[in-house]
Amino acid sequence: KKLDQKLACSHTRRIIMVEVELVLKIYIAFTLLVALAFSYAVLQSLLARKRLLRPRNVALGILFAVCAFITLKLPVEADKLMNSLSPQRAPFPIPSAEAVALHEKMFIADLHADTLMWPHRDLLARHTYGHVDIPRLRDGNVGLQAFTIVTGSPSGLNFESNAAPSILTDSITLKAIFDGWPLDSITSRAARTLFQARALHSFANRSGGELVVIKTRQDLQSLLARRAAAHGTAGAGRLIGGLLGIEGLHALDDKFDNVKAFFDAGIRMMAPTHFFDNALGGSAAGEKKIALTDFGRKVIAEMERLGIVVDVAHASEATIDGVLAVATRPVVVSHTGVHAVCPSIRNLKDHHLQGIARTGGLVAITYFRPAICGAPDVKTPGDDLKSIVDSIMHVRTLVGVEHVALGSDFDGTVHTPFDTAGVIHITDALLQRGLSPKEVALVMGGNVARVFESVLPDETTTAA
């Protein structure tokens, strides 16, 4: 029944997304025609030395202004619509005093948020929409947030089968146009990657020391030490680390040299695939769901050499098998549900959870409904927190608490039970389910600190 609900929800989402994308494409064509007509009318009046404020020019000018206004408003309205909170059957209980005290002193890490996909949103300012910004990270006492870069998304996105999109049929191309991304990002996924990476560095440079991009083992150690020293303080004393990742290495534009280019841009976690098969391997939502390719093995080896964490989120079963067969360092899945709790094609089965654990890696549990089966759709009140904790408990029982982490998928066009300020509810719920404070601290971020400290490059290696 749960699987049927997920398939129905995914099919409905696919139909809606296709219709929305068609409307947007028609709107772009209409806006371009209006702009050309207005420009031609003004030029014609100038050449004929006629009045610019002729009725036709005024009408076209007003229409062009309306289109421009809508174009400027669309990204924000889309963000509000696509990154919202899901309704719950009952309000969350007020966290216990024990949970509050523990949450305040823990190091908390989240391995997945797509916030950089929304460049109009200033990370340094507090917002009433979306899921992540620096003020709300501070409210949630989150010490490390992975900001994952999205560069390609097929039209009619679904969990079952997606063809690899061309640049023209890629939904991110539409987004790049509407959001005013650099011109090269319209035709190059590598350019989209570097644009979003630059955005995080820019936020860090403007943060007055409140946000630092984590690129080396020493960066992470410094973050941990400074946050521990600032325990009990507020404001800038609670430094926040940002870690750059990539969701799908179609971002390479099939060029091996871009692995090093992305490393130089500060990217330290990369997933071979996203929602469609590519030159590295198969996606769980791809058409053929192929295995890891020779090119994929070459890229994985280079990632491990450089100190980039390998992420198998969204990968096909065959590709996960391939990664686990060649990995020599810890592998993570940055955001997932578990098939035993929520039988979805995008969720990992027990043998893959065990394989990831054998590498010394991490299974980061996500918060959004199709991956946790919190409710049949985004409008129905559910019990999402219980579903998140059920997934965490399953991984703990199967492979041990030292292999569990958090991977929200915030701002990934998903609906979650709370934003990043509300992660204390997970702390409280884990304590209520019988985990010791030490175990809770591992799940909430201690495991991430340990694993990433073992994989990230040394600063002397990076400098070289």
Side-chain angles (χ1 to χ4, degrees):
K1 182 178 178 182
K2 286 182 177 180
L3 182 57
D4 288 342
Q5 290 173 339
K6 299 289 104 42
L7 291 173
C9 181
S10 179
H11 179 65
T12 302
R13 175 188 171 92
R14 181 177 189 174
I15 293 172
I16 291 171
M17 291 305 293
V18 169
E19 291 176 347
V20 168
E21 288 167 14
L22 178 61
V23 169
L24 288 175
K25 288 173 182 176
I26 293 171
Y27 171 76
I28 289 174
F30 176 74
T31 302
L32 288 174
L33 286 174
V34 169
L36 288 171
F38 177 59
S39 300
Y40 176 75
V42 170
L43 182 61
Q44 190 180 48
S45 297
L46 290 172
L47 292 175
R49 297 185 179 180
K50 294 181 179 180
R51 290 185 305 113
L52 286 177
L53 296 179
R54 297 166 67 190
R56 181 188 64 175
N57 295 2
V58 172
L60 286 170
I62 292 173
L63 187 57
F64 178 68
V66 169
C67 289
F69 176 77
I70 292 173
T71 301
L72 290 173
K73 291 287 289 182
L74 268 175
V76 175
E77 295 307 314
D79 190 356
K80 291 179 180 178
L81 177 67
M82 294 180 174
N83 300 306
S84 62
L85 302 184
S86 52
Q88 303 301 303
R89 289 197 186 100
F92 296 125
I94 297 173
S96 67
E98 180 187 11
V100 171
L102 177 61
H103 195 83
E104 172 63 22
K105 68 181 182 181
M106 287 190 301
F107 177 73
I108 299 166
D110 176 1
L111 283 182
H112 196 94
D114 294 325
T115 314
L116 297 177
M117 194 166 59
W118 310 94
H120 60 275
R121 195 193 313 166
D122 185 352
L123 262 184
L124 306 181
R126 183 181 297 276
H127 299 276
T128 57
Y129 59 91
H131 300 132
V132 174
D133 51 49
I134 296 303
R136 283 182 286 176
L137 286 168
R138 192 179 301 113
D139 291 346
N141 194 34
V142 177
L144 180 68
Q145 178 65 63
F147 292 98
T148 312
I149 294 167
V150 177
T151 65
S153 181
S155 178
L157 174 67
N158 65 92
F159 282 170
E160 289 76 51
S161 179
N162 299 281
S166 68
I167 287 293
L168 291 177
T169 60
D170 190 334
S171 299
I172 302 300
T173 302
L174 277 178
K175 196 169 193 322
I177 293 171
F178 271 103
D179 284 357
W181 295 14
L183 285 177
D184 60 352
S185 67
I186 295 175
T187 57
S188 167
R189 289 170 177 143
R192 295 173 188 178
T193 301
L194 297 175
F195 164 66
Q196 292 178 66
R198 288 195 301 270
L200 185 66
H201 286 288
S202 176
F203 285 129
N205 291 338
R206 295 193 292 110
S207 71
E210 295 185 31
L211 172 67
V212 60
V213 179
I214 303 300
K215 296 182 287 186
T216 67
R217 183 180 302 113
Q218 286 80 8
D219 289 340
L220 180 56
Q221 291 168 342
S222 174
L223 174 70
L224 293 166
R226 290 176 63 182
R227 286 188 63 84
H231 174 60
T233 67
R238 303 309 296 270
L239 182 69
I240 295 170
L243 184 113
L244 281 164
I246 297 178
E247 197 161 23
L249 285 177
H250 43 269
L252 293 171
D253 286 341
D254 297 339
K255 297 176 182 177
F256 179 76
D257 289 348
N258 277 334
V259 177
K260 182 60 165 61
F262 293 167
F263 176 82
D264 291 341
I267 293 163
R268 294 297 181 267
M269 180 170 64
M270 301 197 300
T273 60
H274 193 195
F275 275 109
F276 52 90
D277 303 334
N278 62 30
L280 285 82
S283 163
E287 283 189 310
K288 297 183 178 179
K289 301 171 177 52
I290 62 174
L292 189 70
T293 65
D294 289 342
F295 182 60
R297 281 186 281 274
K298 182 180 178 182
V299 170
I300 297 299
E302 179 68 357
M303 288 170 61
E304 290 196 328
R305 185 187 73 82
L306 291 170
I308 300 173
V309 176
V310 179
D311 175 12
V312 293
H314 290 284
S316 67
E317 291 195 40
T319 291
I320 295 175
D321 289 338
V323 170
L324 295 177
V326 301
T328 62
R329 308 187 80 172
V331 172
V332 307
V333 53
S334 67
H335 60 303
T336 190
V338 295
H339 197 273
V341 174
C342 179
S344 166
I345 195 171
R346 92 155 321 275
N347 287 344
L348 268 61
K349 296 177 181 177
D350 285 357
H351 68 283
H352 281 145
L353 302 178
Q354 292 167 327
I356 290 168
R358 280 194 293 271
T359 71
L362 299 172
V363 177
I365 299 300
T366 192
Y367 308 166
F368 75 101
R369 283 194 170 172
I372 59 171
C373 293
D377 56 64
V378 297
K379 295 182 179 180
T380 303
D383 195 355
D384 296 351
L385 180 59
K386 178 181 180 300
S387 298
I388 293 167
V389 175
D390 285 346
S391 301
I392 290 171
M393 297 299 287
H394 177 79
V395 179
R396 169 183 178 257
T397 300
L398 183 71
V399 298
V401 72
E402 65 273 15
H403 298 292
V404 195
L406 304 178
S408 65
D409 204 13
F410 282 147
D411 292 323
T413 67
V414 296
H415 309 278
T416 59
F418 41 75
D419 62 16
T420 191
V423 292
I424 189 173
H425 294 298
I426 299 179
T427 298
D428 189 50
L430 291 174
L431 288 171
Q432 295 299 322
R433 290 287 283 269
L435 267 67
S436 69
K438 181 179 179 180
E439 288 181 305
V440 174
L442 290 175
V443 172
M444 297 299 290
N447 289 330
V448 169
R450 182 190 73 251
V451 169
F452 276 71
E453 192 172 346
S454 74
V455 178
L456 288 175
D458 186 84
E459 64 183 8
T460 57
T461 304
T462 307

